Amino acid sequence: MVGYAFMGAAHSQGWRTAGRVFDLPRTPVLTAICGRDATAVRAAAERHGWASAETDWRALVERDDIDLVDICTPGDSHAEIALAALAAGKHVLCEKPLANSVEEAEAMTAAAEQAYARGQLAMVGFNYRRVPATALARSMVAEGRLGRLRHVRVTYLQDWLVDPQFPLTWRLRKEIAGSGSLGDLGAHIIDLAQYLTGERLSGVSALTETFVRERPLPGGAVKGLSAVSAETATGQVTVDDAAVFTGRFPSGALASFEATRYATGRKNALRIELNGEHGSLAFDLERLNELSYHDGTEPGAHAGFRRILVTEPDHPYLDAWWPPGHGLGYEHTFVHQARDLVHAVAEGRQPEPSFADGLQVQRVLAAVEESAEKNSVYTPIAV
Amino acid sequence: MVGYAFMGAAHSQGWRTAGRVFDLPRTPVLTAICGRDATAVRAAAERHGWASAETDWRALVERDDIDLVDICTPGDSHAEIALAALAAGKHVLCEKPLANSVEEAEAMTAAAEQAYARGQLAMVGFNYRRVPATALARSMVAEGRLGRLRHVRVTYLQDWLVDPQFPLTWRLRKEIAGSGSLGDLGAHIIDLAQYLTGERLSGVSALTETFVRERPLPGGAVKGLSAVSAETATGQVTVDDAAVFTGRFPSGALASFEATRYATGRKNALRIELNGEHGSLAFDLERLNELSYHDGTEPGAHAGFRRILVTEPDHPYLDAWWPPGHGLGYEHTFVHQARDLVHAVAEGRQPEPSFADGLQVQRVLAAVEESAEKNSVYTPIAV
Amino acid sequence: MVGYAFMGAAHSQGWRTAGRVFDLPRTPVLTAICGRDATAVRAAAERHGWASAETDWRALVERDDIDLVDICTPGDSHAEIALAALAAGKHVLCEKPLANSVEEAEAMTAAAEQAYARGQLAMVGFNYRRVPATALARSMVAEGRLGRLRHVRVTYLQDWLVDPQFPLTWRLRKEIAGSGSLGDLGAHIIDLAQYLTGERLSGVSALTETFVRERPLPGGAVKGLSAVSAETATGQVTVDDAAVFTGRFPSGALASFEATRYATGRKNALRIELNGEHGSLAFDLERLNELSYHDGTEPGAHAGFRRILVTEPDHPYLDAWWPPGHGLGYEHTFVHQARDLVHAVAEGRQPEPSFADGLQVQRVLAAVEESAEKNSVYTPIAV
Amino acid sequence: MVGYAFMGAAHSQGWRTAGRVFDLPRTPVLTAICGRDATAVRAAAERHGWASAETDWRALVERDDIDLVDICTPGDSHAEIALAALAAGKHVLCEKPLANSVEEAEAMTAAAEQAYARGQLAMVGFNYRRVPATALARSMVAEGRLGRLRHVRVTYLQDWLVDPQFPLTWRLRKEIAGSGSLGDLGAHIIDLAQYLTGERLSGVSALTETFVRERPLPGGAVKGLSAVSAETATGQVTVDDAAVFTGRFPSGALASFEATRYATGRKNALRIELNGEHGSLAFDLERLNELSYHDGTEPGAHAGFRRILVTEPDHPYLDAWWPPGHGLGYEHTFVHQARDLVHAVAEGRQPEPSFADGLQVQRVLAAVEESAEKNSVYTPIAV
């Protein structure tokens, strides 16, 4: 695994736990973790249960005792590492967003397709597909329970940038993060909307905004960043703070999206609602053990949105966990991701979401940025 | 009052009840109700408590014993009746949307301003300003509790058109209704968003859609409508089924709007959320006795969205109603509207929302339609 | 009508409105209202739309132009007025609780039964049976949707006595109110539980408590009350502040009840949940337009408590009101009560709940008090 | 660890994960797991990460390489194993309920107190104290935010026995489980109510019921159980299906409790609400990342129950987990339990809840059973 911060910890928990809960065809071995700081990465190896540590990802991807490379770094290094790992014959799991540009994502997808022909697999880490409630929602859509879709309504609301004194972290710098709320939060909801509907967006119309354009520098030296003003030690925010956009799906459904870090009081409100001719579904990540379902074919007098507590043995992933009603949390999505990837590897079949899925999300992100720059004009997305 | 269908019944309930609950400076007298069908309008007068009935609104507006004309007809006759009533020296209450075009609304607003100089008042019926919870929300925004606004998120979701066999009523015909979900539902949420923020939208980017383009004709002869096909007796839907649009407020806040009659399971989901630097507010018309408030200045460990049950004596309008916790319903907005208008008349001051407010909503509706026709390009709104 | 305070206002609204909304076989005429204070009662008559006022209820019940007497006074005068009105040949609607003692309630019930033989009707005002959501719940239980009942869980939580400085009003004095939370709130939930289940409680085990035993006297002279202490001008609270009790229904279902005015933050939380072998229902008066239903016969993967928005035309009472999703409020229960009673009068059939129903509630209240006095021992209730 | 079923898996997850997330003063080593079936226990050791397996708990408790024995068996063996482990000089963590009788619990508590003098620690596994939301609630009560308590309202509702064909597992047999819903669910809510209030119940009045008295035998031979009827292969349910009881706390607060496995649609509804003079708190285990709080000292116009999303760094346990808004699940309570016990061991201080706490819960359970047998009479609880 490359990277050992928040995502590294979450992925480690996934790899460590998957075999304790699920019957896996192969047992994941946590061989090596990689980071630039030797001391820190050794501590991370110890903490998260990795057998060894590396400080150079190039060394890591060349090791013979490693079959799969899990990339948990910021987006600016995804392409380089993934291409090298694929070239070195490894399977690859890459955190989302797949890359910081469509070009990088295209190169990665091409490499993944060639590697697939050699028996290597590549997957992008849109973990929210693996919340039991969203997996259940996908199966309900696929069964036709909603009928023809009319509306898709998605938000991903957080509030950690509300305070203008919050420092200028790497997530606020375009050269590292690629974009702001758009790539961080927007990528999740674009993927989830496309996954749940089984469709790819045809085009978008977008507004983006950076509400606070200058922020204090974080403590310590920051790579490639000089202060806007020496006195106040502030720097320029170079990414979007929020993006709101609308779009169309090929089926004719209308979609609306909002990604922001300025929704005071909303901590992790990834909310999605689908309205179809025969029913509706709604989900809120802040209540991730629940799925809301309206069955429009029910007699009107007794119909209503039902709150399905997605904690029962016949729900996705749940027969391996606890008794009915005993909820899961955020990190379980990574356990499920690890489980599904191990199964795919054992069976030699393409895991989902593929790099091609990641590329398509990247194209939507690019279209959003293009539309926002061009007066919100509706911008088609190449398939 | 002109018109005696749904809106006529609701307004009648408002006029009849206001003086029973509130201390009013003048007592409303329900003098005459007007409709084209003599038998039906007499029955409506009897049912709703009006002392007499008229079949020609021109006669009604000329009557000496009438001080105020309340217009509850579809939008295509608003302008003509309102202009005549103002010319006849009456106060006017006109249902929303103010008119079917910006031109009509401009004429009405000009006439209202001239009439105001003569002591006559004109008001447009955006009744959702008078839900106690929205009135409370407005006062909280005005007090500065949210600080600088970042996001405004509004939907008005209904589902009564989901069934493609639902007939082609007047609300689906452009020549009568002006537009579809946009003018019916969108007008409400535009007004409410502007009322709550205290700002007027600078511009919008929009998508509209008509999902079902042909519907069965309703039973009986329909004015000005011929069947598309004699065999199936269907006709063309000439209005939008849904509108999704984004926009900007002068303060820099981003807004998103959605109006639809195809959100299966949503009956009357007018939902609005405001996120500001210091706090957030959320409201859902399906739970109209509640307001959700997050006070961002609270210590983080104890902060959260609180559900204010807006049923207490220190909430707007509520000291005149029932003890704490005894909720109100939809029709009470019309009682409050009647109360506020009677006070304005007694004091000779301009009631809100004015025809000018209604005109501005009309301009937003026109900009939405223009943007939707022009590939969603961001369309500024004249102030 | 006798009494013109809170209940008088609510009943007046019911009588005034029923014929405006529903097709009634007879038209209620608001003939006379009665209260001791001549000035106040004349003002109330004017305010609430009664044609005349009386200061002596004995005069009222003797008037020839009155067919029905509606008793909205505190419980200590219910028996005397109701007996006189029945003796005078009137139909009677009596607010709950039916009386302040089982003996009074027995006498009233006997008189009502004799009067029924003469064609007179008597009804007790448990208005919460006439919330559309509770009426829907009753019909669902009666259809057998829940199957054999296992649990009935009911609370009625308010908080207006939390402050020890709240004054000693008539509701806190046993000689007027009969009991405290028990008779005021407990009577409602006992009736509602019995109505919804279609069963009568077999016995109860109870705890009651008076948390604050001395309170400031309200301003002004108070009938029959002298200060405990001249200095502080406080008086003794002589009723329960809260009652918690459990019970059994003949079907074997277990029940729990709680009535209190000390549940900080709960304004009107009459909550009831029924769990049966095939399904469950839940209701909360603070969200009175909703009914929660779990259909236990659904496949587990898609089952859940559904929130039925009880605002649709095929729900009880609602076809006469507004379009789908337009909620009602507290006072509508009185409109429905008036409607149902007018129908019963026109058809000469016994309205529900009858005085016998009110008597049975009184017996439960007495059993609760007896159990609380006898160390919570299970106390059977005579049928 | 003794036992490797549901609880064994949950505790293993706790022991395995605690050191990966928290900075622990000592590192837990999963030395040996014990069960009667050699094959099964070896598989469990492999699955859950234990280094070795034992088939005799007596051998386990004598091993020198074990410092702490974690007892996850049914209640009938708790006392014997715990006493032996304490005698062997081990620290002990024992699942709840502490024992199947007051006598056993007394012996265990006495042994634990003697062992404490020798430096050994004993803890009982009421894991719901370690949900971040309940831990936060406890701290808020302890800070005096609720003031004097008036009401405690607790339910623990499940529905897995609704179907009369569900088999007669060990949990339905008194000789193994001790009691039914009472000991399984009731023990949790008694402990939680006492933990949150910081008080111990003074007495209780109870009803219990067994709704379905005969159930099919589960497949395979069942220890000590013969079929009631050879033909139908059913057996007698010898425990309660449900218990409802009321009680008093020394402060004067009234309490109500309900534990059942027949609440159709409720999967894990451990709900607790505390109402105090200055505020209220509410919690629902089905939404375990939330705490509901009403601050009664707020101005009435803006007060309401706020939903605290207990996922922030300044909430109990959460600084070691994920970013704001990323929820935890059921099993995290066991991680926190392991963390807290490791800290207590390192510091040599008594962990909470102690065996004495477990004994007191046992006394409440016994009082509930006694009251239920004696016509619900109020039954005091020795302190």
Side-chain angles (χ1 to χ4, degrees), chain C residues 41-116:
Chain C
V41 75
R42 270 197 306 271
E46 176 75 11
R47 165 61 64 101
H48 297 307
W50 296 84
S52 64
E54 296 281 352
T55 55
D56 180 356
W57 61 260
R58 287 166 222 275
L60 183 92
V61 301
E62 295 301 333
R63 279 176 61 161
D64 286 343
D65 58 347
I66 288 177
D67 295 318
L68 186 151
V69 175
D70 181 355
I71 305 170
C72 294
T73 56
D76 62 336
S77 53
H78 285 185
E80 194 177 11
I81 302 174
L83 291 173
L86 289 170
K90 312 302 187 197
H91 305 299
V92 174
L93 170 61
C94 181
E95 249 310 299
K96 50 63 59 182
L98 185 58
N100 276 2
S101 72
V102 169
E103 293 68 30
E104 288 176 343
E106 284 173 341
M108 293 165 80
T109 302
E113 283 166 7
Q114 289 158 15
Y116 184 64

Side-chain angles (χ1 to χ4, degrees), chain A residues 205-255:
Chain A
S205 163
L207 293 180
T208 60
E209 184 62 70
T210 305
F211 296 117
V212 175
R213 296 179 175 275
E214 205 171 313
R215 287 183 174 273
L217 297 182
V222 181
K223 183 184 76 164
L225 189 74
S226 56
V228 170
S229 149
E231 280 157 33
T232 61
T234 62
Q236 209 69 41
V237 175
T238 48
V239 298
D240 62 281
D241 277 340
V244 296
F245 48 105
T246 58
R248 291 182 186 274
F249 281 104
S251 65
L254 295 180

Side-chain angles (χ1 to χ4, degrees), chain A residues 5-231:
Chain A
F6 163 33
M7 268 304 123
H11 281 234
S12 296
Q13 175 84 326
W15 290 116
R16 242 182 10 241
T17 306
R20 302 288 177 208
V21 176
F22 294 99
D23 291 318
L24 296 187
R26 299 197 192 167
T27 304
V29 180
L30 284 69
T31 305
I33 190 169
C34 176
R36 275 180 301 240
D37 179 325
T39 309
V41 75
R42 270 197 305 271
E46 176 75 9
R47 166 60 64 101
H48 297 307
W50 296 85
S52 63
E54 297 281 351
T55 55
D56 180 356
W57 61 261
R58 287 166 221 276
L60 184 91
V61 302
E62 296 299 334
R63 280 176 61 161
D64 286 343
D65 57 348
I66 288 176
D67 296 318
L68 187 151
V69 175
D70 181 354
I71 305 169
C72 294
T73 55
D76 61 337
S77 53
H78 285 185
E80 195 177 11
I81 303 174
L83 292 172
L86 288 170
K90 312 302 187 196
H91 305 299
V92 174
L93 170 61
C94 182
E95 249 310 298
K96 51 61 58 181
L98 185 58
N100 276 2
S101 71
V102 170
E103 293 67 31
E104 288 176 342
E106 284 174 341
M108 293 165 80
T109 302
E113 283 167 5
Q114 290 158 16
Y116 184 64
R118 301 190 303 264
Q120 291 167 251
L121 305 181
M123 183 182 184
V124 61
F126 287 112
N127 61 305
Y128 291 139
R129 293 186 176 206
R130 290 178 161 88
V131 177
T134 58
L136 175 62
R138 172 59 196 145
S139 72
M140 292 172 78
V141 173
E143 287 164 11
R145 285 177 174 272
L146 301 202
R148 198 180 172 85
L149 284 179
R150 300 307 191 184
H151 291 286
V152 179
R153 198 172 298 113
V154 213
T155 62
Y156 200 156
L157 312 178
Q158 298 184 342
D159 72 355
W160 53 276
L161 286 186
V162 164
D163 180 357
Q165 294 308 307
F166 187 93
L168 188 65
T169 69
W170 69 263
R171 288 187 181 273
L172 305 184
R173 295 168 55 205
K174 189 174 181 56
E175 70 277 21
I176 303 179
S179 65
S181 285
L182 183 58
D184 181 21
L185 309 180
H188 270 305
I189 56 179
I190 291 164
D191 180 69
L192 196 56
Q194 296 190 141
Y195 166 65
L196 291 181
T197 59
E199 294 187 63
R200 291 182 164 192
L201 279 161
S202 313
V204 290
S205 163
L207 293 180
T208 60
E209 184 62 70
T210 305
F211 296 117
V212 175
R213 296 179 175 275
E214 205 171 313
R215 287 183 174 273
L217 297 182
V222 181
K223 183 184 76 164
L225 189 74
S226 56
V228 170
S229 149
E231 280 157 33

Side-chain angles (χ1 to χ4, degrees), chain D residues 90 94 96 116 136 139 158 161 175 180 208 224 268 316 332:
Chain D
K90 313 301 188 197
C94 180
K96 51 61 57 180
Y116 184 64
L136 175 63
S139 72
Q158 297 184 343
L161 286 186
E175 71 276 20
T208 61
N268 210 21
H332 294 77

Side-chain angles (χ1 to χ4, degrees), chain D residues 7 71-79 82 93-102 104-105 108 123-127 170-171 176-191 261 354-355 357-363 365-366:
Chain D
M7 269 304 122
I71 305 170
C72 294
T73 57
D76 61 337
S77 54
H78 286 184
L93 170 61
C94 180
E95 249 310 300
K96 51 61 57 180
L98 185 58
N100 276 2
S101 71
V102 170
E104 288 176 342
M108 294 166 80
M123 183 183 183
V124 60
F126 286 113
N127 60 304
W170 70 265
R171 287 187 180 272
I176 303 179
S179 66
S181 285
L182 182 59
D184 181 21
L185 310 179
H188 270 305
I189 55 180
I190 292 165
D191 180 69
R261 294 156 170 168
S354 67
F355 275 22
D357 293 322
L359 166 59
Q360 205 272 341
V361 170
Q362 207 65 43
R363 286 185 173 136
L365 297 175

Side-chain angles (χ1 to χ4, degrees), chain B residues 108-353:
Chain B
M108 293 165 81
T109 302
E113 283 166 5
Q114 290 158 15
Y116 183 65
R118 300 191 302 265
Q120 291 166 250
L121 305 182
M123 183 183 184
V124 61
F126 287 113
N127 61 305
Y128 291 138
R129 294 186 176 206
R130 290 176 162 89
V131 176
T134 59
L136 176 62
R138 172 60 197 144
S139 73
M140 293 172 77
V141 173
E143 287 163 12
R145 286 178 173 270
L146 302 202
R148 198 179 172 87
L149 283 179
R150 299 308 191 183
H151 291 286
V152 179
R153 199 172 297 113
V154 214
T155 63
Y156 199 156
L157 312 178
Q158 298 185 341
D159 72 355
W160 53 276
L161 286 186
V162 164
D163 180 357
Q165 295 307 308
F166 187 93
L168 189 64
T169 69
W170 70 265
R171 287 186 180 273
L172 305 184
R173 295 169 54 207
K174 189 174 182 54
E175 70 276 21
I176 303 179
S179 65
S181 285
L182 183 59
D184 181 19
L185 309 180
H188 270 304
I189 56 179
I190 292 164
D191 180 69
L192 197 56
Q194 297 190 139
Y195 166 65
L196 292 181
T197 59
E199 294 186 63
R200 292 182 164 191
L201 279 161
S202 313
V204 291
S205 163
L207 293 179
T208 60
E209 184 62 71
T210 304
F211 296 117
V212 176
R213 295 177 177 277
E214 206 171 312
R215 288 183 172 274
L217 297 181
V222 182
K223 182 184 76 163
L225 189 74
S226 55
V228 170
S229 148
E231 279 156 33
T232 62
T234 62
Q236 209 68 40
V237 174
T238 49
V239 298
D240 63 280
D241 277 340
V244 296
F245 49 106
T246 58
R248 291 183 187 273
F249 280 104
S251 65
L254 295 180
S256 69
F257 295 85
E258 180 172 353
T260 183
R261 295 155 169 169
Y262 282 75
T264 304
R266 301 299 176 194
K267 299 303 172 186
N268 211 20
L270 189 173
R271 296 177 177 185
I272 182 160
E273 178 164 324
L274 307 177
N275 303 128
E277 204 174 343
H278 302 321
S280 291
L281 285 169
F283 171 75
D284 180 353
L285 185 61
E286 288 186 351
R287 286 179 172 163
L288 64 82
N289 291 293
E290 302 178 25
L291 180 66
S292 204
Y293 170 46
H294 180 90
D295 180 353
T297 66
E298 288 247 323
H302 305 138
F305 274 85
R306 68 185 72 172
R307 166 199 178 222
I308 304 174
L309 207 54
V310 190
T311 56
E312 306 307 288
D314 45 4
H315 289 141
Y317 301 108
L318 280 162
D319 56 344
W321 289 103
W322 313 113
H326 290 70
L328 302 186
Y330 164 71
E331 79 211 40
H332 295 77
T333 57
F334 297 99
V335 182
H336 302 163
Q337 181 169 276
R339 169 199 176 276
D340 291 347
L341 183 50
V342 169
H343 275 284
V345 166
E347 298 161 25
R349 63 171 166 72
Q350 175 61 46
E352 292 200 329

